[in-house]
Amino acid sequence: MTSLTLRVGDLAGEWDRTGLIPPELLRDLGAEGRLCAEVPESYGGWGLSSLSSGAYTAHAGGLCSSLRSVMTSQGMAAWTIQRLGTAEQSAGLLPRLTGGALAAVGFSEPGAGSDLAAMTTTVRRDGDTVVVDGHKKWVTAAHYADLLVVVGRHEDGAVAVVVPTGTPGVRVERIADPLGCRAAGHADVHLDGVRLPADSVLGGHGLPTALLVTTALAYGRMSVAWGCVGILRACLAAATAHAAGREQFGRPLAEHQLVAGHIADLYTAEQVATRVCEYAGRCWDEGSPDQVVATVLAKHVSATQAAAGAATAVQVLASAGSRDGHTVARAYRDAKLMEIIEGSNELCRLMLAQHALSAPG
Ligand code: FAD
């Protein structure tokens, strides 16, 4: 199997400029189980632990954040099916996700961003079918997806329903010129009277919205957190190479103490993000009660470190990194978005404060 490094090569900048990863490459990677590596081997996945999957996600994130974003969506779809679906639904759907079909997950709506309790998408039972109506926004990888996991309101709570994108009534509308992760296939999804078999509802019944959303987002948060570690590693490599190689005032940039300080900050950011992700990964693998808060912490720390670290890397490279397609320029745009998705900085801080306030003193 050709490594991810070779498959991506030096193409990430071009994908970023054109806004497209070749769909056939995504399908090939999907069919090799690379896009949702935690899916058990019995369903055609790699069965990786959270920690091992995290290391792989960081590797992908260092190569190309758009590809890593597609991987996050695929993994989150698989995780949601595995956690909420019946054994029959897992057996039917997961081998498709490890066999080349691509998936995305839609929560956000025009009136429901941070506040997902405000979702208005409905999943209405009608005999042995369900009918889905709504509008999902900014769905990563929807442009490439064969299947969408859509979260909406059902008669007895919130549900996740699996919607093939080819179903009549589904319209996927690409988002033009996103700030970053430009090849991740972000799209708005319009669902107008989409009729599906009733067994498209994962688990067949509703759950409290907060429980459903937290379950699905937990995977996405871990994946984004590790993706940010990858961004930081790519930035650190670019900044150290440049600072060691370029001379100004008769000495390498790295010998100017203020530049060395930037390198130290980047190294610190990469180490801090790595350690919080490793801690959260261990919590997942051990089934620790700290898993939820460790995941939010990992996502928040990694995203903020990546956004700051990418800005530092651009500073060190200066004009050399100030053009579209350069690793650090891409990282600068991509990392900013990581502070918004899967729980914005503000929402993460609220959750961390709530945890700290409720913890025994
Ligand atoms: P708003 O909710 O309007 O928030 C605006 C600002 O106010 C933010 O800074 C927010 O943190 C802050 N804020 C809001 N409420 C509070 C509060 N109570 N206290 C303090 N601050 C608050 N959605 C999907 O469903 N699937 C996807 O795959 C997906 N991928 C995405 C990829 C990208 C690159 C982006 C940019 C978005 C994606 N989204 C996706 C949508 C994303 O989840 C939302 O953008 C995010 O939840 C924030 O919602 P919003 O943009 O509507 O901002």
Side-chain angles (χ1 to χ4, degrees):
M1 218 185 269
T2 316
S3 74
L4 202 57
T5 312
L6 286 175
R7 304 286 269 284
V8 176
D10 58 1
L11 294 171
E14 185 186 323
W15 296 342
D16 188 61
R17 274 192 301 275
T18 59
L20 197 72
I21 302 172
E24 57 280 11
L25 173 64
L26 292 176
R27 287 185 196 289
D28 286 351
L29 294 174
E32 292 167 13
R34 290 178 187 269
L35 298 181
C36 47
E38 285 178 52
V39 170
E41 286 169 310
S42 53
Y43 297 121
W46 288 4
L48 293 190
S49 67
S50 183
L51 262 179
S52 302
S53 168
Y56 186 63
T57 306
H59 175 57
L63 295 170
C64 174
S65 280
S66 289
L67 175 59
R68 195 277 310 147
S69 298
V70 171
M71 191 183 266
T72 297
S73 292
Q74 183 92 352
M76 191 160 43
W79 172 252
T80 307
I81 290 165
Q82 213 179 312
R83 288 305 299 250
L84 303 183
T86 61
E88 291 74 28
Q89 286 170 324
S90 287
L93 292 165
L94 293 177
R96 291 183 64 191
L97 298 193
T98 56
L102 301 172
V105 183
F107 302 94
S108 309
E109 299 181 2
S114 302
D115 180 14
L116 288 175
M119 278 185 301
T120 58
T121 294
T122 54
V123 182
R124 180 173 51 81
R125 193 185 298 272
D126 184 18
D128 57 1
T129 65
V130 287
V131 180
V132 187
D133 283 285
H135 176 187
K136 293 295 176 185
K137 277 193 70 175
W138 271 96
V139 182
T140 302
H143 173 71
Y144 302 112
D146 305 290
L147 298 175
L148 301 167
V149 174
V150 171
V151 178
R153 305 200 161 282
H154 196 40
E155 55 209 21
D156 57 351
V159 288
V161 59
V162 178
V163 182
T165 47
T167 314
V170 178
R171 184 163 59 87
V172 177
E173 185 188 5
R174 187 87 195 259
I175 291 173
D177 305 324
L179 170 68
C181 299
R182 288 178 175 166
H186 305 114
D188 284 5
V189 178
H190 302 268
L191 303 144
D192 296 313
V194 179
R195 191 173 290 276
L196 301 160
D199 66 3
S200 306
V201 174
L202 294 176
H205 59 83
L207 291 170
T209 306
L211 177 62
L212 190 152
V213 165
T214 307
T215 302
L217 282 182
Y219 184 98
R221 288 183 176 142
M222 277 308 294
S223 183
V224 166
W226 279 110
C228 289
V229 169
I231 290 175
L232 283 163
R233 289 178 184 165
C235 286
L236 183 61
T240 50
H242 186 76
R246 175 168 167 81
E247 291 195 359
Q248 285 293 279
F249 301 98
R251 336 184 242 157
L253 290 173
E255 290 182 17
H256 298 289
Q257 287 186 341
L258 292 178
V259 177
H262 286 320
I263 301 292
D265 291 347
L266 251 176
Y267 174 72
T268 305
E270 185 273 328
Q271 285 291 302
V272 167
T274 300
R275 300 303 155 230
V276 286
C277 285
E278 286 173 349
Y279 172 66
R282 276 196 299 277
C283 286
W284 277 65
D285 290 336
E286 292 164 7
S288 159
D290 287 342
Q291 181 178 328
V292 172
V293 68
T295 301
V296 175
L297 185 67
K299 192 274 163 181
H300 182 50
V301 170
S302 298
T304 50
Q305 293 293 334
T312 300
V314 174
Q315 195 69 23
V316 170
L317 275 91
S319 61
S322 298
R323 58 181 169 76
D324 247 5
H326 192 286
T327 301
V328 297
R330 230 176 345 106
Y332 183 68
R333 290 184 283 99
D334 296 343
K336 181 60 210 167
L337 296 181
M338 300 305 111
E339 294 194 304
I340 295 170
I341 63 168
E342 314 289 356
S344 62
N345 281 359
E346 290 77 10
L347 270 284
C348 286
R349 291 175 74 196
L350 288 175
M351 286 184 269
L352 293 170
Q354 201 176 25
H355 172 77
L357 289 165
S358 65

